[in-house]
Amino acid sequence: MTETENRHPSRRQILEGSVAAGLLAAFGNGVLAKGAQAQSTPVNGIISASHWGPFRATTDGKRITELVPFEKDPAPSRALPGVLDSIYSPTRIKYPMVRAGYLKDGIKSDRSMRGADQFVRVSWDQAIELVSKEIERVLKEHGGNSIFAGSYGWKSTGKLHNCRSLLQRYLNVYDKGFVSHSGDYSTGASQVIMPHVVGTLEVYEQQTVWPIVVEHSNVVVIWGADPVNTNQIGWIVPDHGAYVGMKALKEAGKKVIVIDPLKTETAEFFNAEWIPIRPHTDVALMLGMAHTLYSEKLHDEKFLEEYTTGFKQFLPYLLGETDKTPKTAEWAAAITEVPAETIKELARLFAKNRTMLMSGWSIQRQHHGEQSHWMLVTLASMLGQIGLPGGGFGLSYHYSNGGTPETDCPALSGITSGGEAGATPWLETSGSASIPLARVVDMLENPGKVIDFNGKKITYPDIKLSYWVGGNPFAHHQDRNRMLKAWQKIETFIVHDFQWTPTARHADIILPATTPYERDDIEQWGDYSLRGMVAMKKIIEPVFEAKSDYEIFRLLSKAAGKEQKFTEGKKDDLEWVKSFYDAAAKLGQTRKLNMPSFEEFWKVGYLEFPPTEAGKKFVRYEKFREDPALEAIGTPSGKIEIYSKNIEKMAYDDCPPHPTWMEPLEWLGGKTANTYPLHIVTKHPLYRLHSQLCGTVLRKKYEVNERAPLMINPKDAEARGIKNGDIVRVFNDRGQILAGAVVTDKIRPSVVVCEEGNWYNPAEPTKHGTLCKFGDPNVLTPDIGTSKLAQGNCGHTVIAQVEKFIGTAPTVTVFLEPETSA
Ligand code: PGD
């Protein structure tokens, strides 16, 4: 068995449960129907929940000894042992800590020592005073616009312990503002372009539900996504309903096609037809298909006429009248390395069958990423099946179990930032200024610089202090070496976390947060389905000296003389939790739902709702299709915009007004590919949530020779004398990392896979360009915006070279407690 087989459960293993027992459970129980199956095992243990789903915990009175999946979870995540270990692993932060140089010299300390200095343990009183005084100094000397509190990240779930909102709530007690951000790292390009194209964010919308797909779709195309892997987690508490849908689709024997440089876990599960496309060429592939549809008269003219605008302006480009390059299947084949005949056959297959195009977000997390989903919508429009059961496109089947039928469960409210966030807070600022998130390093480097962003001009503020809770920028942001230098401009960097992440290791002041299992909270169960609510109960007392983010910010607000403003007079966590539940129950009453009292709910630990009739039949864009005038979508024309006059007005050279193939900064067909001939796919990990749980026992499932795995095709490995299990050096002009080779034909030639979220572990922290000993791919990625339109991140746009590492590899140290001095 190769390392890869070890890490990627095969279809047989999934079905037999030998590797992922959780997935087997998914496919064994159909629990979507009301009145789920009776328990076969006695229900005991304290209920709580996380991004990996609800679970029950057993304790010995002090420590948690076991976490078992919630009896109603159809597909428990394989990460639960890591969730347990995150409480006790050697990387747990135990006490408030201050970087030695900072404790001694404050903001005059040598900032290049961040990540290299020792840490000194301080008392909570000292820590609160240090943070409070520093915040007040910066506010007084430089004002709110010098504090960056965007604090992006996949913080733990829970309506109260939402640490990002809590941070902003604390800063808002001062009423002096702070700098926040818009957008996110997941869908940076799409969430800005899609409102121009279809009038909504689209990426976070409910999908045509799985039962409809199973019944009506004949062909399902999974484009740059791995839903069998990524639906394990949810932004809130996942219900894992997608696994029920995927099992039913497989049993129905529908044709599934996976377009991806990697033969994903999903491709294996469905035994799908695999189209191993060259990375970053999906727009060209779609154009080649569109050209085939048009030249063979397979496109739906009536749909284009009635439901879209701008096809006429797009057509001359498709046919090559504007640039003398017809986007034929042959043209696309040369770019994508997918044979022209395959492109044509796929286009015909899609046109002749009810086809659902399910796209992931990887194809927009790249240079010119705006074009991918715009072209996908254009292709789906030409197929004319949008709004029909099982047809069209979907951008969220791989995320948080999109497509699971919705219930009537009232939505829970939660703690607010106390600011003025609007209806779509992730797109707006709740601070006094805001930047497109992925430009954070550019902002630090260039105070006062003006950049373009979605038709507006943004002026960068001059940041003196950054405060991060619930995120790991030293894992998620691109071009680590550039970032490290830019970070030195910040006078003070404060972090709360429960794990010694690379970010915590680069902070000046580190405050130990509790895990969700050490505090009371409540959360919705099922991101899209709203299947119910779950009590996130405090299972154990906080370990070591950890405090919840709420408690830390309450103490800081108290130090500012504003405790009442922060707490609104609530005496403890449960009082907040009850208030969220009671508000939802009141809403429930208006829907004639008879919800139990809070006390009863809390005792049972969860509340489940059946899917509604409408929820079971939901078809995305069905209403628009039925009545495009009355149910017009939110674009300027009320129709799908294949050509956008708004984008035309912006006149950006890197985002034309209709979908366009543009060469990315780096790709295998580009100029630099001679020096760096391998494209790195930085896919989402199999055993983690981004960087979360990297410090836990789960590493044993995937590390190779103590390094992060790097999947490489046998041809590329042989050409470099690399064998399975070898330590390799991966490098380009931006940096160098070590990784462990996994030689496998599940990745196409000229492409390697290195999972995002591997913890950064510099060999010589003060040396620019030093080797990362564990394998953080963001040492190698470029820090550029997708375009002037969205300024999203380009974490997938990276080429590099790989060689066998000769000599003694430096010991990985990032999973040990950092050095401390008295
Ligand atoms: P996480 O690892 O989830 O990564 O970036 P993100 O920063 O979200 O980090 C969350 C941190 O919050 C962890 O350190 C965790 O311990 C901490 N935390 C959790 N709960 C709490 C809490 O209650 N309190 C406190 N104080 N801390 C808490 C992910 C980002 O990475 C995303 S969303 C995407 S989609 C991007 N993906 C890629 C990619 O595909 N390729 C590359 N190259 N780069 C990427 N970066 C992006």
Side-chain angles (χ1 to χ4, degrees):
M1 184 183 265
T2 65
E3 293 278 356
T4 328
E5 280 161 346
N6 238 332
R7 293 168 47 245
H8 292 262
S10 69
R11 227 174 80 242
R12 208 194 74 241
Q13 284 170 321
I14 288 173
L15 293 175
E16 288 175 357
S18 57
V19 172
L23 297 183
L24 173 66
F27 302 139
N29 298 328
V31 295
L32 282 178
K34 188 175 185 181
Q37 295 172 2
Q39 314 303 327
S40 51
T41 45
V43 178
N44 49 34
I46 304 166
I47 196 163
S48 193
S50 70
H51 285 304
W52 294 272
F55 54 79
R56 290 186 185 272
T58 316
T59 75
D60 62 8
K62 253 185 127 175
R63 280 175 76 95
I64 303 183
T65 50
E66 195 186 16
L67 297 186
V68 292
F70 181 43
E71 59 279 4
K72 293 199 164 207
D73 187 339
S77 164
R78 56 190 161 217
L80 278 187
V83 174
L84 172 53
D85 195 45
S86 68
I87 307 169
Y88 304 111
S89 74
T91 43
R92 179 74 200 248
I93 305 176
K94 298 174 178 158
Y95 311 108
M97 292 286 196
V98 182
R99 182 170 68 80
Y102 187 87
L103 193 64
K104 188 164 152 277
D105 300 322
I107 61 166
K108 295 209 169 70
S109 76
D110 176 0
R111 296 176 207 155
S112 72
M113 286 300 284
R114 286 198 186 120
D117 239 346
Q118 293 192 324
F119 287 101
V120 183
R121 181 178 166 184
V122 295
S123 70
W124 267 111
D125 285 348
Q126 271 175 293
I128 294 292
E129 192 184 337
L130 200 58
V131 173
S132 180
K133 283 202 167 143
E134 178 58 2
I135 295 280
E136 283 169 18
R137 177 194 74 82
V138 175
L139 285 174
K140 190 162 165 232
E141 289 178 13
H142 307 284
N145 274 6
S146 61
I147 297 183
F148 186 66
S151 192
Y152 172 77
W154 268 71
K155 62 193 173 52
S156 296
T157 189
K159 292 292 182 234
L160 171 60
H161 296 286
N162 176 345
C163 51
R164 180 166 173 259
S165 294
L166 290 168
L167 164 65
Q168 300 188 344
R169 187 178 178 87
Y170 158 58
L171 291 172
N172 275 328
V173 303
Y174 287 104
D175 261 337
K176 295 211 166 131
F178 55 86
V179 178
S180 188
H181 68 77
S182 62
D184 60 36
Y185 277 76
S186 301
T187 62
S190 237
Q191 64 176 265
V192 177
I193 187 110
M194 279 299 112
H196 294 289
V197 179
V198 289
T200 69
L201 293 181
E202 196 58 35
V203 284
Y204 301 126
E205 308 286 349
Q206 172 63 314
Q207 309 293 287
T208 295
V209 291
W210 281 103
I212 297 286
V213 170
V214 173
E215 191 181 338
H216 297 276
S217 306
N218 298 117
V219 177
V220 170
V221 184
I222 300 177
W223 207 315
D226 191 5
V228 168
N229 175 32
T230 55
N231 276 314
Q232 284 186 85
I233 53 122
W235 176 244
I236 50 173
V237 178
D239 53 21
H240 295 142
Y243 292 89
V244 180
M246 290 189 284
K247 181 199 175 224
L249 184 69
K250 182 179 160 66
E251 279 174 356
K254 302 295 176 80
K255 177 146 183 91
V256 177
I257 298 166
V258 166
I259 302 177
D260 202 302
L262 170 71
K263 192 171 193 188
T264 56
E265 198 173 352
T266 306
E268 301 223 295
F269 170 68
F270 283 111
N271 205 5
E273 181 181 344
W274 178 34
I275 311 290
I277 188 172
R278 216 179 193 186
H280 284 41
T281 65
D282 301 85
V283 173
L285 182 65
M286 293 173 205
L287 283 164
M289 291 172 174
H291 193 280
T292 307
L293 292 177
Y294 188 80
S295 53
E296 298 187 10
K297 297 199 170 26
L298 293 170
H299 63 297
D300 188 332
E301 275 183 30
K302 195 163 170 281
F303 185 89
L304 290 169
E305 184 61 37
E306 257 182 77
Y307 300 98
T308 74
T309 61
F311 186 69
K312 283 196 186 82
Q313 287 104 312
F314 168 71
L315 193 56
Y317 167 74
L318 183 68
L319 300 180
E321 290 162 9
T322 45
D323 60 357
K324 299 195 177 60
T325 309
K327 312 301 172 303
T328 59
E330 287 73 19
W331 167 84
I335 295 169
T336 60
E337 291 184 345
V338 177
E341 207 37 53
T342 307
I343 299 175
K344 289 181 192 171
E345 276 167 19
L346 287 173
R348 291 172 198 139
L349 183 80
F350 298 172
K352 288 182 183 150
N353 288 280
R354 185 61 60 85
T355 301
M356 177 59 84
L357 305 174
M358 299 180 173
S359 171
W361 301 337
S362 61
I363 61 172
Q364 56 84 60
R365 205 174 297 125
Q366 47 183 254
H367 198 205
H368 305 136
E370 293 85 354
Q371 306 304 313
S372 316
H373 285 164
W374 199 358
M375 188 56 218
L376 189 90
V377 174
T378 303
L379 180 63
S381 298
M382 290 177 75
L383 292 168
Q385 300 179 16
I386 295 170
L388 292 180
F393 69 97
L395 305 185
S396 212
Y397 281 105
H398 66 294
Y399 171 72
S400 291
N401 296 269
T404 305
E406 209 176 315
T407 76
D408 238 353
C409 177
L412 285 162
S413 53
I415 195 84
T416 66
S417 66
E420 296 299 314
T424 52
W426 58 89
L427 267 186
E428 295 165 12
T429 169
S430 53
S432 47
S434 171
I435 59 150
L437 172 62
R439 305 318 303 134
V440 56
V441 164
D442 202 43
M443 167 190 75
L444 294 179
E445 287 172 341
N446 304 291
K449 180 176 161 185
V450 178
I451 61 157
D452 287 298
F453 173 54
N454 198 16
K456 295 186 291 251
K457 298 279 182 196
I458 305 277
T459 307
Y460 287 149
D462 188 0
I463 298 299
K464 304 289 181 196
L465 181 148
S466 173
Y467 204 139
W468 224 287
V469 290
N472 195 356
F474 282 74
H476 72 225
H477 192 75
Q478 286 61 56
D479 199 344
R480 191 71 60 244
N481 288 308
R482 178 179 165 194
M483 174 180 187
L484 280 158
K485 229 172 150 194
W487 225 257
Q488 291 180 22
K489 292 211 160 183
I490 297 172
E491 292 175 349
T492 303
F493 184 32
I494 308 168
V495 170
H496 304 184
D497 207 307
F498 45 80
Q499 285 275 308
W500 274 113
T501 64
T503 300
R505 284 162 200 265
H506 284 83
D508 297 315
I509 305 172
I510 301 99
L511 304 183
T514 49
T515 64
Y517 328 115
E518 298 154 52
R519 59 203 191 201
D520 284 319
D521 212 329
I522 185 170
E523 191 48 280
Q524 210 91 47
W525 174 32
D527 292 67
Y528 287 104
S529 66
L530 297 185
R531 183 172 166 190
M533 296 173 189
V534 58
M536 292 177 64
K537 293 194 184 182
K538 177 178 179 178
I539 307 164
I540 45 166
E541 288 302 318
V543 301
F544 300 103
E545 287 190 7
K547 289 187 192 292
S548 73
D549 299 286
Y550 180 90
E551 177 60 8
I552 299 170
F553 289 126
R554 183 191 69 79
L555 290 170
L556 287 168
S557 302
K558 191 175 170 194
K562 307 274 186 186
E563 186 182 3
Q564 168 69 22
K565 191 169 176 188
F566 185 82
T567 63
E568 294 178 26
K570 300 264 191 312
K571 65 178 187 313
D572 60 18
D573 291 2
L574 264 187
E575 197 175 338
W576 277 110
V577 171
K578 180 176 181 321
S579 74
F580 304 144
Y581 180 88
D582 287 346
K586 218 166 166 191
L587 199 66
Q589 272 171 10
T590 63
R591 296 182 195 170
K592 306 213 175 349
L593 297 167
N594 196 12
M595 282 169 58
S597 69
F598 174 71
E599 288 68 24
E600 282 171 274
F601 158 76
W602 195 252
K603 201 164 146 213
V604 175
Y606 69 95
L607 196 57
E608 186 181 16
F609 292 77
T612 60
E613 284 314 304
K616 284 192 267 189
K617 293 187 194 133
F618 179 77
V619 173
R620 184 140 192 81
Y621 291 113
E622 185 177 44
K623 289 191 175 145
F624 170 58
R625 189 171 185 115
E626 276 167 10
D627 195 335
L630 262 183
E631 299 284 344
I633 57 175
T635 55
S637 61
K639 296 183 176 188
I640 296 169
E641 300 216 345
I642 296 173
Y643 188 96
S644 165
K645 287 191 180 140
N646 274 351
I647 295 180
E648 183 197 71
K649 277 186 220 141
M650 295 176 201
Y652 294 150
D653 53 358
D654 53 4
C655 188
H658 62 68
T660 303
W661 154 252
M662 280 172 288
E663 278 198 49
L665 175 78
E666 289 176 14
W667 69 298
L668 291 174
K671 289 186 202 89
T672 44
N674 287 341
T675 324
Y676 297 117
L678 298 172
H679 195 119
I680 309 181
V681 169
T682 61
K683 75 183 268 293
H684 286 182
L686 290 178
Y687 285 95
R688 289 194 306 259
L689 196 188
H690 304 303
S691 77
Q692 291 186 53
L693 310 185
C694 196
T696 75
V697 287
L698 284 180
R699 236 172 27 255
K700 293 284 163 242
K701 299 267 186 195
Y702 58 84
E703 66 184 7
V704 178
N705 229 325
E706 296 179 0
R707 320 286 147 169
L710 181 94
M711 294 170 79
I712 184 166
N713 183 276
K715 275 191 204 151
D716 296 317
E718 202 190 331
R720 291 163 177 79
I722 293 168
K723 287 195 292 304
N724 204 39
D726 279 349
I727 295 182
V728 294
R729 190 175 78 99
V730 192
F731 59 98
N732 63 17
D733 290 344
R734 287 178 290 270
Q736 47 172 339
I737 64 172
L738 294 184
V742 177
V743 180
T744 170
D745 57 10
K746 288 179 189 166
I747 183 74
R748 53 156 283 158
S750 305
V751 183
V752 293
V753 171
C754 187
E755 293 176 339
E756 56 95 21
N758 296 326
W759 282 10
Y760 176 62
N761 190 189
E764 295 174 77
T766 51
K767 199 166 145 197
H768 186 76
T770 189
L771 186 69
C772 168
K773 299 186 282 185
F774 183 64
D776 167 11
N778 278 327
V779 168
L780 306 166
T781 51
D783 179 2
I784 51 164
T786 49
S787 83
K788 295 186 178 96
L789 185 92
Q791 299 284 8
N793 79 89
C794 298
H796 287 249
T797 305
V798 51
I799 56 174
Q801 180 57 289
V802 176
E803 65 182 20
K804 185 169 166 165
F805 181 79
I806 312 283
T808 313
T811 310
V812 174
T813 48
V814 73
F815 303 116
L816 306 171
E817 227 177 312
E819 275 188 54
T820 52
S821 58

